[in-house]
Amino acid sequence: MGARRSGSGGGRGNASILKERANMSFMLVVMFFAVFGLIVLTEIFLIDERRSGTGVGGVGGVGPSGGHRSGHRLAAAPDRPDYEEVGPEDYAGLKGAGLEEHLEMLVRGDESRIPAAAAAAIPGDPRGLASLPTSLEARLPQLDRELKLTHAEWLPVTNTRFKFFVYSAYYDERPSGATGPATALNRGGASSAGVVRVIGATKTRGPERVWCRLWYPGQSSPGSNATRTSSITVAARVKVIRENWNLKYSACFVICPLPKEQPRASAELVPEAVSIVARLRAAPTNRILVQNRPAARPKERQPLAICVKPLHYQYNRVLQLVEFIELQRILGASHVTLYNDTLGSEAGCALSYYEGKGLVQLLPWHHLDMVSQREIRTEGLFAALNDCLYRSMYAYEYLALLDLDEFIVPRREESIPELIGWLQRQQRQQPGPAAGRASGKGAAGAYSFQNAFFYLQWPDDPYVRTSRRATEAGLITLRKTRRRAKLHPHKQRSKYVCRPRDVLEAGNHFVWEFVPGHGTVNVPADAAILHHYRVCEFGGDDCVKTASIVDRTAYKYLDRLADRVEAVWQELALLCPGLPELGEPPAGGNKLPTERPAAAAAAAGSR
């Protein structure tokens, strides 16, 4: 009996526990739907606010540091996709009587006095107007010759409601993947003289309307050596770069269509500089040199250059930096472009050494007043990648966009240009996927390489533990030879080499947009892969449990790489105070281990 009562009491206790759990589960479900409903209601109210114009037309603005300034804006145009197809109808001319009068109100800042019907005739992206009428252009603020001319510096666009920065500017006359040329169309439908493409950063959703003040060199004044600068003002199109992770701010292109005819006072079709302004009556606060002007393009191109995203967190790993630059040079690169967000003193000294030799360009990346990872992705890296793309466009035949722990290593060829030459020969001889055919239609504009992780948690190769040289023992490409057996598919962790003149928008792992008629070649793994040296990507050490193989393909560069790094280190030791000496190598000889994996054995063969 007692045992029976005890069992009955235990059953009632279990039932009580189950009931409490059921109640708790019900409450969690209710809370989930309550939060979800709140989010939906918030989105609905925000959409209504944006459509009514209060989200953009209210008082406010952002100054150089993001502080608010008073300002009044026209009602926002309905939301449009960031990257819809552009058709000729987008460039239809503005029609209706009184247009010049209404534009004059814009110049004076009297937007509120424009009748509603007339305001509706001035679209949020008024690209149809080739340029402001001459009578109004003459009334705009003139260029302050004391305003610094920059080519690589983050500068604010003032009088905006949200943060808006611009960095560099490039002339671009190439066609795009839309229904017509990348250059704007005039009211008759014919192509114009091209565009000025400004690299910037602004709000991801619903970027604000801005204007381009195009500055043309004029003729010298009579009796004076001073040159008068003439201007044309056009409405810009802000095109948000796709890879933005849905954060509040994103890298962007500010696209300025050029008029077909130059100003009367200038003999140039392409402007010398551009200023981006949010209000026409406000004096420009930025003046950016327009690069890639036809007359300034080099007559010959080097085979290969490398682009690296902004260096941050006081980056100061000098040996990694030297190894990266020297191995990229062995692989065929003649130049490396880097961006300095924050840099340690020793690394800065090493890069100054390379700049003096003309092998490196270190560009400033300061003053982008957007919080990395919370407001914009990783120090605005997509602005840096696309700046490097356009900056290198006419100086180099091919361009690789890499991190400092990544190397594209051919399996048989010695260099990347040699590999691309082999791929092109194979494509001519055997058209098809096996030869590396471009995805989509047309010619190869980029070559994609599958990613292989060489996790740093795996043990060092036995060779470096018996090396006679301290340099060899310190180089990551020689220390780490074990990699994941399974490669990532293309477009996932992959990196690429592109022909910059065939690319309109670069991404981190693949090209987002090509010039029409070009695509990507997926390079087979037996031709080359991306060596990626890093810790486990998800934290911890579980990655070392994945299936792996030993891959010593990089050892074909062993002697050349060690000699180059050693020579550079000796020179840096004299130039850079505080640079540590390379450690003593382990005792023993330097014989390679007897085992040779299949990949390394294949690398020793010939095609």
Side-chain angles (χ1 to χ4, degrees):
M1 283 292 287
R4 202 176 297 130
R5 281 194 299 270
S6 174
S8 175
R12 285 195 298 271
N14 290 337
S16 176
I17 292 172
L18 291 174
K19 185 176 181 180
E20 289 178 4
R21 288 180 177 174
N23 291 337
M24 186 177 297
S25 299
F26 177 75
M27 290 300 296
L28 288 174
V29 170
V30 170
M31 290 174 62
F32 170 78
F33 279 106
V35 172
F36 180 76
L38 184 62
I39 292 172
V40 171
L41 287 173
T42 303
E43 287 294 323
I44 291 172
F45 284 129
L46 285 175
I47 291 171
D48 289 341
E49 181 181 341
R50 186 161 56 243
R51 286 178 177 169
S52 66
T54 57
V56 176
V59 175
V62 173
S65 301
H68 292 279
R69 294 176 182 267
S70 61
H72 216 60
R73 312 221 34 102
L74 290 177
D79 288 344
R80 301 171 64 182
D82 291 335
Y83 274 86
E84 62 185 4
E85 292 295 311
V86 180
E89 65 275 7
D90 285 328
Y91 299 93
L94 295 177
K95 298 178 181 179
L99 171 62
E100 186 161 331
E101 178 184 350
H102 300 146
L103 287 171
E104 188 173 357
M105 292 181 184
L106 280 176
V107 174
R108 294 199 307 264
D110 294 340
E111 299 99 321
S112 58
R113 294 179 52 193
I114 301 178
I122 304 177
D125 189 11
R127 290 165 285 162
L129 189 66
S131 60
L132 287 185
T134 306
S135 60
L136 294 181
E137 186 73 40
R139 300 178 58 185
L140 297 182
Q142 295 301 304
L143 176 65
D144 180 2
R145 302 298 300 184
E146 299 298 318
L147 186 61
K148 181 182 177 183
L149 180 66
T150 65
H151 71 94
E153 184 176 344
W154 282 113
L155 297 169
V157 178
T158 56
N159 297 299
T160 57
R161 188 161 180 257
F162 297 94
K163 297 178 184 179
F164 203 134
F165 292 87
V166 287
Y167 185 76
S168 55
Y170 301 93
Y171 172 63
D172 188 7
E173 76 275 34
R174 302 168 302 155
S176 79
T179 57
T183 61
L185 304 180
N186 64 15
R187 280 178 271 186
S191 63
S192 75
V195 301
V196 170
R197 193 180 290 260
V198 179
I199 305 294
T202 190
K203 193 169 180 286
T204 303
R205 301 293 176 188
E208 297 174 74
R209 176 175 48 184
V210 291
W211 300 81
C212 306
R213 303 288 313 277
L214 305 169
W215 307 108
Y216 293 80
Q219 307 296 329
S220 299
S221 303
S224 172
N225 293 326
T227 302
R228 181 177 176 83
T229 300
S230 56
S231 67
I232 290 180
T233 299
V234 297
R237 183 184 182 193
V238 180
K239 196 175 184 184
V240 173
I241 289 176
R242 292 171 173 89
E243 210 160 343
N244 52 60
W245 287 48
N246 285 323
L247 295 175
K248 182 175 182 178
Y249 293 103
S250 171
C252 70
F253 295 119
V254 181
I255 300 175
C256 309
L258 299 185
K260 207 171 184 181
E261 297 180 359
Q262 72 271 25
R264 295 177 183 176
S266 176
E268 299 286 339
L269 277 172
V270 180
E272 179 182 50
V274 61
S275 298
I276 306 300
V277 299
R279 301 187 67 182
L280 289 173
R281 64 190 179 94
T285 57
N286 55 76
R287 179 183 169 216
I288 307 172
L289 177 71
V290 175
Q291 301 176 76
N292 291 348
R293 292 158 55 90
R297 294 172 184 172
K299 293 182 174 59
E300 296 183 358
R301 289 189 286 269
Q302 297 295 315
L304 177 67
I306 308 294
C307 298
V308 180
K309 68 183 183 184
L311 303 173
H312 53 94
Y313 298 136
Q314 294 294 331
Y315 179 85
N316 207 31
R317 300 173 64 181
V318 182
L319 184 57
Q320 181 194 39
L321 196 59
V322 173
E323 179 182 11
F324 177 83
I325 294 173
E326 293 304 327
L327 184 50
Q328 298 297 351
R329 292 180 65 196
I330 293 172
L331 288 165
S334 58
H335 192 267
V336 179
T337 300
L338 306 101
Y339 296 83
N340 177 13
D341 182 60
T342 55
L343 194 62
S345 58
E346 288 82 10
C349 178
L351 290 174
S352 295
Y353 163 83
Y354 279 112
E355 281 190 295
K357 293 182 173 293
L359 300 172
V360 160
Q361 184 178 29
L362 181 63
L363 297 170
W365 202 250
H366 321 296
H367 312 307
L368 178 59
D369 182 28
M370 295 175 180
V371 181
S372 180
Q373 307 296 52
R374 292 215 310 265
E375 291 188 323
I376 195 168
R377 177 68 177 163
T378 317
E379 282 75 36
L381 76 98
F382 302 112
L385 296 181
N386 281 279
D387 173 79
C388 191
L389 170 77
Y390 282 87
R391 194 175 294 270
S392 308
M393 187 161 289
Y394 297 101
Y396 303 97
E397 192 66 34
Y398 291 100
L399 193 65
L401 288 73
L402 300 170
D403 294 342
L404 291 177
D405 56 1
E406 296 174 335
F407 304 87
I408 295 170
V409 179
R411 314 304 280 175
R412 295 178 178 85
E413 281 74 24
E414 290 294 304
S415 70
I416 294 172
E418 289 175 3
L419 169 68
I420 292 175
W422 176 81
L423 290 168
Q424 291 172 339
R425 291 192 299 274
Q426 291 293 104
Q427 191 172 4
R428 287 193 295 267
Q429 296 168 6
Q430 304 172 7
R437 192 186 185 96
S439 59
K441 299 178 181 179
Y447 298 86
S448 174
F449 300 87
Q450 289 178 271
N451 175 72
F453 279 135
F454 290 70
Y455 291 125
L456 302 186
Q457 285 96 327
W458 275 319
D460 290 349
D461 190 280
Y463 172 77
V464 298
R465 295 202 298 267
T466 60
S467 173
R468 294 177 303 182
R469 302 172 68 178
T471 308
E472 292 176 358
L475 299 180
I476 200 71
T477 52
L478 303 181
R479 286 174 48 210
K480 301 300 176 181
T481 55
R482 183 167 293 278
R483 68 168 173 86
R484 271 185 53 161
K486 185 177 181 181
L487 303 176
H488 287 81
H490 290 282
K491 290 193 173 184
Q492 294 183 21
R493 300 278 187 174
S494 57
K495 289 298 175 76
Y496 59 91
V497 175
C498 69
R499 293 183 77 246
R501 294 172 309 289
D502 297 335
V503 176
L504 292 171
E505 182 186 334
N508 195 15
H509 300 291
F510 54 88
V511 173
W512 277 105
E513 186 177 0
F514 285 100
V515 170
H518 298 84
T520 298
V521 168
N522 291 332
V523 177
D526 62 353
I529 61 173
L530 176 73
H531 288 212
H532 193 169
Y533 301 87
R534 59 161 297 162
V535 297
C536 299
E537 66 269 36
F538 301 115
D541 297 318
D542 287 345
C543 64
V544 299
K545 300 174 184 176
T546 59
S548 64
I549 62 172
V550 174
D551 184 344
R552 295 195 184 91
T553 309
Y555 269 51
K556 62 183 175 180
Y557 306 117
L558 187 153
D559 291 330
R560 281 179 289 169
L561 179 60
D563 289 344
R564 285 182 177 226
V565 172
E566 199 167 278
V568 170
W569 201 264
Q570 289 174 356
E571 292 188 47
L572 291 178
L574 301 175
L575 299 173
C576 305
L579 195 67
E581 293 184 6
L582 294 175
E584 289 296 323
N590 66 339
K591 287 183 64 178
L592 278 169
T594 55
E595 80 272 18
R596 299 187 70 198
S606 59
R607 294 198 188 275

